[in-house]
Amino acid sequence: MTHVSERSGAGSSPTGAGGDRQPWTAGTGRPARKRSVSYADAGVSIEAGDRAVELLKSKVKQTRRPEVMGDLGGFAGLFRLDTKKYKNPILASSTDGVGTKLVIAQQMDIHDTVGIDLVAMVVDDLVACGAEPLFLLDYIATGEVVPDKVAEIGAGIADGCRYAGCALLGGETAEHPGVLRPDEYDISATGVGVVEESEILSSERVEVGDVVIAMRSSGLHSNGYSLVRHVLLGAGRMRLDVVIEDFGRQRTLGEELLTPTKIYAQDCLKLIAEAEVRALAHVTGGGIPGNLVRILPEHVDAVVNRSTWKPQPIFDLVQSKGRIEDPEMEATFNMGVGMFAIVSAEDADRALATLTGRGVDAWQAGEIIEGSGNVQMIGQHTRG
């Protein structure tokens, strides 16, 4: 993170980061009052913000790429684009948040995983067009800056950037007393990537006969948590610390709900390099049909066979507790698939071998047939 707002940035305090100098003075010529109102009186701590940035520096440095210029603390992050690598480089950008999964993190007082979710939401949208994620800028808004908590959130963001291979170039942490409760926060991020113009993935590449490959999700990822909280914690009156036998390894409900979103960016870039990938679909809000349809041309359909995989137990729990109909589940959740790749039939085996070699649980889930731009969900998931 480069700086903090609503408490300014590192070095913006009149006393400086170390409190030993005053780079500016302002006088009115009038005698000073016995006590003036300070920013701290309004609930904003510049010192806490500076401390949070200091705690994060080592984590942020671990995400550094050779193209990064300068260091933390500037007004903007600088990144040198290596134009020699491309004939016609196209920049791609994406922005997102984590949503109400943050409520679970705040209730459990666990803050070092939601940053991974944040990065995943951004970089896997970037790679869906074939772009390599280059850097990410984050934003944290909180009712009260608690340095250790902000550092935990930032550490998760830095971890996500390392997994994605992108630099955490900068960001902003804002303290909003009176708007957010002291223990509340929200986070968002914007990422930038680059792709050769001739290699942009899109629906225009998809052909009849192509194969649909599914990549398993790590669970709910970061979508549908308003519904999850409603049916499990609201109407279902379940506790976050209850151990759910079906989850295995003595995992509690809260631990399952905070499972970080899987980041596919580097796996997909390797897949693009090794096989003829036509298009990628990142499965987020809208579920499988709502996201897969976005990469289909009007003259084809994608047929996805549910019988080729078994969703994780958390989906069964949500559906049974909420008595949710199948169409609503599939329109809200990823149902066990976080990313789809459409590849040429000739390269299907190579694609699966590449993903398996990288530790990605992947399988052939369907095919592309003649149609009218729709997703056909057939078969039934394996249960039990």
Side-chain angles (χ1 to χ4, degrees):
M1 297 168 193
T2 53
H3 57 290
V4 290
S5 69
E6 272 299 290
R7 48 175 167 67
S8 302
S12 62
S13 165
T15 58
D20 56 358
R21 66 184 182 88
Q22 182 167 321
W24 55 266
T25 59
T28 63
R30 296 191 296 270
R33 296 178 179 177
K34 290 184 179 180
R35 186 181 187 281
S36 63
V37 177
S38 70
Y39 214 178
D41 291 327
V44 177
S45 171
I46 294 174
E47 289 76 13
D50 291 343
R51 175 60 179 158
V53 172
E54 286 299 317
L55 291 173
L56 276 172
K57 279 187 175 180
S58 62
K59 272 286 189 177
V60 174
K61 285 181 179 179
Q62 294 176 21
T63 74
R64 191 178 180 93
R65 290 174 50 127
E67 304 97 327
V68 175
M69 302 173 63
D71 206 345
L72 295 179
F75 287 100
L78 301 177
F79 190 97
R80 179 185 289 108
L81 180 62
D82 185 1
T83 56
K84 295 180 181 179
K85 290 176 57 177
Y86 308 92
K87 293 181 179 179
N88 295 295
I90 301 297
L91 293 179
S93 64
S94 176
T95 190
D96 212 335
V98 177
T100 61
K101 186 173 186 174
L102 295 178
V103 176
I104 307 297
Q106 291 160 20
Q107 290 175 338
M108 295 188 66
D109 196 24
I110 296 175
H111 312 287
D112 60 351
T113 61
V114 289
I116 299 174
D117 295 295
L118 178 63
V119 176
M121 292 297 97
V122 173
V123 299
D124 286 340
D125 276 356
L126 289 175
V127 81
C129 72
E132 175 192 1
L134 297 177
F135 59 83
L136 182 134
L137 301 163
D138 66 0
Y139 178 81
I140 303 172
T142 181
E144 178 184 351
V145 171
V146 178
D148 288 341
K149 182 188 292 186
V150 173
E152 288 181 30
I153 299 169
I157 297 172
D159 286 341
C161 286
R162 286 194 296 107
Y163 303 152
C166 67
L168 181 51
L169 193 59
E172 185 89 354
T173 302
E175 191 166 33
H176 291 169
V179 178
L180 297 170
R181 294 196 309 266
D183 60 336
E184 283 184 321
Y185 61 84
D186 196 10
I187 59 178
S188 63
T190 297
V192 173
V194 63
V195 58
E196 184 68 61
E197 184 173 9
S198 62
E199 298 176 5
I200 295 175
L201 302 181
S202 71
S203 61
E204 297 176 0
R205 292 174 173 251
V206 178
E207 302 176 0
V208 173
D210 287 344
V211 169
V212 179
I213 290 178
M215 302 177 217
R216 186 171 295 278
S217 69
S218 56
L220 291 168
H221 282 185
S222 300
N223 297 102
Y225 271 76
S226 293
L227 180 56
V228 169
R229 290 169 43 245
H230 174 71
V231 301
L232 298 186
L233 307 182
R237 298 181 181 276
M238 296 184 70
R239 290 171 36 185
L240 291 171
D241 61 355
V242 65
V243 174
I244 307 295
E245 184 177 347
D246 287 346
F247 294 164
R249 297 174 295 168
Q250 292 294 301
R251 281 171 65 84
T252 65
L253 175 61
E255 289 171 335
E256 179 66 28
L257 294 181
L258 283 187
T259 300
T261 303
K262 180 169 178 56
I263 295 176
Y264 301 93
Q266 289 297 308
D267 302 314
C268 288
L269 290 173
K270 183 64 173 179
L271 179 63
I272 293 168
E274 296 292 331
E276 182 63 36
V277 178
R278 313 287 201 196
L280 293 168
H282 184 201
V283 184
T284 54
I288 292 173
N291 286 282
L292 196 51
V293 73
R294 297 164 67 179
I295 59 170
L296 297 179
E298 294 182 356
H299 66 280
V300 306
D301 282 0
V303 179
V304 177
N305 192 335
R306 301 183 188 91
S307 68
T308 60
W309 81 94
K310 177 182 177 182
Q312 292 91 331
I314 184 62
F315 297 102
D316 287 335
L317 178 65
V318 171
Q319 184 166 19
S320 61
K321 282 288 185 179
R323 293 194 285 271
I324 304 171
E325 298 292 335
D326 288 344
E328 182 66 20
M329 288 292 295
E330 290 190 336
T332 307
F333 303 107
N334 66 60
M335 299 306 294
V337 178
M339 182 76 77
F340 280 104
I342 298 181
V343 304
S344 67
E346 295 78 11
D347 275 8
D349 290 341
R350 181 193 297 272
L352 288 171
T354 298
L355 292 170
T356 300
R358 293 185 59 84
V360 179
D361 186 0
W363 64 95
Q364 182 171 331
E367 61 181 338
I368 301 298
I369 64 172
E370 292 184 1
S372 53
N374 296 314
V375 177
Q376 300 180 28
M377 303 291 293
I378 65 172
Q380 297 298 322
H381 293 300
T382 304
R383 304 288 181 179

